Amino acid sequence: MHPPCHVITLDVLLKRCYTASWCQRSPARRAYATATTSARGQNEVKEVAILGGGITGLASAWYLSQELPHAKITLYEGNSRLGGWLHSRQVDVGDSNVVFEQGPRTLRPSVPNGIITLELIHKLGLEDQVIMTSKNSVAAQNRFIYYPDHLVRMPGPGAPLWRNFATFFTEEVFRGVSSGMLWENWQAQRPKSLQDESVGSFVSRRLGPAIADNIVSAVFHGIYAGDIYQLSAKTLFSTPTLYEDLYGSISKGLLKGMTSGNLLVPERDLQTLRYFQDKPLESAKLRAVAKASVFTFKKGIGELAERLELKLRENSRVRIQTKTQIKELRQNGNGIKTCMNLVTSRSDAPNQSSGSPNFTHVISTLSGKALNAIYRHNGKNQCLRYLDQSPSVTVMVVNLFFSNPALLPVHGFGYLLPRSLPFTQNPERALGVVFDSDATVGQDNIPGTKLTVMLGGHWWDGWDSYPDEEEGASMAKAIIARHLGIVEEPQAVHVGLQRECIPQYTVGHDYRMQGAHQLLGQEFKGRLRVAGNSYTGVGLNDCVRAARDVVRGLVTGEQKTGLDTYAEGVAWAELRPRKA
């Protein structure tokens, strides 16, 4: 067990409580911002380049324009449009239209990252465009896994207790779950020499391979499109692994939390939680959204990127350069005269390069591989090797709309496909199907059934080529015919291939990011910082949080890299109800 750190009194989570930190590292040497360091930092931040115009780049530029209005900001994007993976399409269907999402379609108002996004929505004036799905809705209460040859509703609210028990003890997908949970407390802890392992290995070792293959793999298909036997347990299953470290088993950790009312949270979240206690959401509608299951926008998630772009273009100190490829990132000079500059080329003239102005700081929201590929020091290729070791997966997204609103055999959010599903049930290598007409009620102005089929992910690792649009549509229709009995032809179809869209936090991710943090700090001393889905979370809320954090690092004048949470390992805090 890790020794407890000193107790710090703090009110968080909008209720009175105090914290006791459990550190997984030696006590951190923190650089707390003062008026002097903050002023010095703001004076040094004069010209900032932001690399990448996806949601992280747009949010970084917006936060920077609000926090440091004197700074000049140049945002570079290689494509003709901004928003990255946030891409909502309005598709004509007869005299009406429907929204097809090619990227994320809903957001969770989770604490704290989801609340940060809601605050951003308020400041952008987007409340009126938000539509939410309540926790009592059919989409929130009905979620399915397809196994081995039919849909299985996951036990939970919305069904009688007896039905949940019947499902749990009769459905083959739950085979081994009860025995795995019963004996988990007596499983041996992992060796202290084993610093990380895969999610699949951890779950199989603690609870049994059936739970890993039948249930956990399906969940991770829906979030990461990844292979649980490659993804890092330390990074993505951090709370269960912490329970094993502290208490010897997951069940003991859960029992302690249930009996004491205590909650373990990463220490990095405490300052954010305190901020929202002191400054709660001002909008009554967004306070209601914060209690919902998920939310989106009337015109799709892409509205968030579009509003950010609109606000940035209204700012005379922000310059946006689309269709601009970054060929090189260079650091020149020494000491206080050190500056950053870029070599760029237009997408329509790739052989014609041009230099950029000097920048005091650069925020890169590019993937780790892309950043490593462009960095040069004194004209020589300089390897940021830790950033080059995180793979990504490719996902094909197929949107289908049917004019018949009564096609689905069941209603809910949708269903996921586990890795253990027989090949005959999933030869297309699908990841899952979303019932959009249930999940985002009120988004379309025409009745019908709207579905999204997700294909590929880790199943397509190593492929040199991918299905074309016609093949993708055919594969999606074959899946819903086999699984849902839907054989009607859709009224509208859209197929999109999202290449390398979801970074994979594979085993050792925390330690690679720790190494990257050290390299960036030594090499750039705060002039280059990173943010985005390659580093601290793949979701949209994670990206908005990363943008906010990296800008706050600039504002306070601290020498941050954007990877500071990995600096010396993750510290956790236990939140305990204060006794009356």
Side-chain angles (χ1 to χ4, degrees):
M1 181 180 295
H2 297 281
C5 297
H6 60 281
V7 175
I8 307 171
T9 301
L10 189 64
D11 293 335
V12 296
L13 285 178
L14 309 184
K15 61 184 180 181
R16 303 183 71 184
C17 43
Y18 69 91
T19 70
S21 295
W22 266 325
C23 295
Q24 291 184 286
R25 52 177 167 84
S26 57
R29 295 183 296 276
R30 297 186 179 275
Y32 292 99
T34 64
T36 303
T37 60
S38 181
R40 184 173 68 248
Q42 294 184 35
N43 290 332
E44 289 178 351
V45 182
K46 298 176 180 178
E47 299 266 358
V48 183
I50 296 178
L51 312 185
I55 184 59
T56 314
L58 289 168
S60 297
W62 188 85
Y63 281 120
L64 193 59
S65 70
Q66 301 300 300
E67 298 286 349
L68 297 177
H70 69 276
K72 293 182 178 180
I73 304 165
T74 304
L75 186 149
Y76 294 91
E77 168 57 42
N79 295 312
S80 59
R81 57 171 290 274
L82 300 174
W85 303 120
L86 275 64
H87 198 179
S88 306
R89 290 178 175 269
Q90 301 285 328
V91 178
D92 292 332
V93 178
D95 296 331
S96 302
N97 61 71
V98 297
V99 176
F100 279 169
E101 295 282 15
Q102 283 291 288
R105 62 208 60 253
T106 56
L107 299 173
R108 288 189 176 278
S110 54
V111 177
N113 293 4
I115 306 302
I116 291 173
T117 302
L118 289 178
E119 180 194 46
L120 175 61
I121 289 169
H122 171 68
K123 291 183 176 180
L124 293 173
L126 271 174
E127 294 104 319
D128 291 342
Q129 299 304 309
V130 173
I131 56 176
M132 59 182 170
T133 301
S134 77
K135 292 181 179 178
N136 295 323
S137 68
V138 66
Q141 296 191 350
N142 291 346
R143 295 169 185 264
F144 300 88
I145 287 178
Y146 189 91
Y147 186 88
D149 58 4
H150 60 279
L151 293 173
V152 180
R153 181 188 177 277
M154 294 296 98
L161 184 61
W162 66 267
R163 183 173 296 175
N164 285 331
F165 273 105
T167 299
F168 186 80
F169 287 107
T170 60
E171 289 289 351
E172 191 175 349
V173 72
F174 295 109
R175 174 176 47 85
V177 172
S178 56
S179 60
M181 294 172 63
L182 179 65
W183 294 104
E184 189 272 334
N185 187 54
W186 288 273
Q187 300 298 329
Q189 284 185 261
R190 69 176 179 274
K192 294 187 181 297
S193 59
L194 184 63
Q195 295 182 323
D196 196 7
E197 62 184 313
S198 73
V199 170
S201 170
F202 175 81
V203 176
S204 296
R205 183 170 54 78
R206 299 296 324 170
L207 295 164
I211 298 178
D213 293 342
N214 296 346
I215 299 175
V216 177
S217 71
V219 174
F220 275 69
H221 279 169
I223 302 173
Y224 303 100
D227 179 1
I228 59 169
Y229 290 96
Q230 299 294 324
L231 296 171
S232 166
K234 184 176 179 63
T235 303
L236 304 178
F237 236 46
S238 55
T239 300
T241 58
L242 180 69
Y243 284 159
E244 184 184 37
D245 285 343
L246 294 177
Y247 309 116
S249 72
I250 301 172
S251 54
K252 284 183 179 177
L254 291 172
L255 182 62
K256 179 177 173 60
M258 291 170 61
T259 55
S260 67
N262 297 349
L263 177 67
L264 288 176
V265 298
E267 196 176 84
R268 66 185 288 259
D269 290 342
L270 293 184
Q271 185 177 357
T272 305
L273 294 170
R274 179 62 183 270
Y275 171 86
F276 283 108
Q277 182 187 16
D278 295 337
K279 298 181 179 180
L281 294 170
E282 299 176 15
S283 164
K285 179 173 183 178
L286 292 185
R287 288 197 295 272
V289 173
K291 299 176 182 178
S293 173
V294 295
F295 67 94
T296 183
F297 301 94
K298 294 177 181 178
K299 296 181 181 178
I301 291 291
E303 272 200 87
L304 180 58
E306 291 172 2
R307 183 60 62 89
L308 282 167
E309 179 181 357
L310 176 64
K311 293 294 186 181
L312 291 172
R313 290 193 184 278
E314 292 174 350
N315 191 324
S316 61
R317 299 187 73 83
V318 177
R319 182 185 179 195
I320 297 176
Q321 293 192 199
T322 55
K323 296 192 289 187
T324 303
Q325 301 288 341
I326 309 297
K327 301 184 74 172
E328 292 184 18
L329 168 66
R330 294 175 174 174
Q331 182 174 210
N332 298 313
N334 295 296
I336 61 173
K337 295 183 179 181
T338 302
C339 62
M340 310 290 292
N341 55 45
L342 308 170
V343 176
T344 65
S345 67
R346 297 284 296 173
S347 300
D348 50 7
N351 296 323
Q352 299 178 18
S353 299
S354 61
S356 72
N358 290 331
F359 296 103
T360 57
H361 295 83
V362 172
I363 297 174
S364 173
T365 68
L366 305 176
S367 70
K369 284 188 175 182
L371 178 59
N372 180 64
I374 64 173
Y375 177 50
R376 303 289 186 277
H377 182 58
N378 293 329
K380 298 179 180 180
N381 181 277
Q382 189 78 10
C383 180
L384 299 173
R385 60 187 180 277
Y386 294 107
L387 297 179
D388 198 30
Q389 297 176 24
S390 295
S392 295
V393 295
T394 295
V395 176
M396 178 169 277
V397 179
V398 184
N399 309 110
L400 307 106
F401 180 82
F402 302 84
S403 57
N404 184 350
L407 283 180
L408 290 172
V410 296
H411 289 279
F413 193 86
Y415 66 94
L416 298 169
L417 305 174
R419 61 178 285 118
S420 55
L421 191 65
F423 179 78
T424 54
Q425 291 293 329
N426 188 24
E428 298 84 3
R429 291 309 194 191
L431 301 163
V433 178
V434 179
F435 302 163
D436 294 300
S437 44
D438 287 345
T440 54
V441 175
Q443 192 172 63
D444 303 319
N445 56 10
I446 180 175
T449 299
K450 185 169 65 171
L451 306 174
T452 299
V453 180
M454 296 165 290
L455 303 161
H458 74 95
W459 294 122
W460 289 356
D461 285 350
W463 286 28
D464 295 325
S465 61
Y466 302 102
D468 59 26
E469 291 187 12
E470 183 178 353
E471 291 170 330
S474 178
M475 293 162 70
K477 287 187 282 187
I479 290 164
I480 62 173
R482 184 184 309 114
H483 296 171
L484 303 175
I486 297 176
V487 295
E488 289 187 20
E489 279 298 310
Q491 195 170 354
V493 180
H494 184 268
V495 181
L497 184 67
Q498 315 300 336
R499 293 179 181 269
E500 298 187 353
C501 60
I502 306 179
Q504 301 293 285
Y505 296 177
T506 53
V507 174
H509 179 80
D510 275 28
Y511 302 103
R512 289 191 295 275
M513 293 302 100
Q514 184 178 21
H517 167 75
Q518 294 172 350
L519 275 178
L520 289 170
Q522 294 167 3
E523 184 74 13
F524 300 99
K525 296 180 172 55
R527 296 191 180 276
L528 172 65
R529 302 161 190 241
V530 298
N533 64 357
S534 283
Y535 312 107
T536 54
V538 303
L540 190 154
N541 289 335
D542 302 320
C543 292
V544 172
R545 165 77 182 273
R548 180 180 182 269
D549 287 352
V550 79
V551 169
R552 283 180 174 264
L554 278 175
V555 171
T556 60
E558 298 175 18
Q559 292 186 354
K560 289 200 171 186
T561 66
L563 302 176
D564 306 85
T565 185
Y566 297 107
E568 297 180 47
V570 177
W572 291 78
E574 182 181 31
L575 307 183
R576 303 175 182 172
R578 187 190 295 274
K579 295 181 179 180

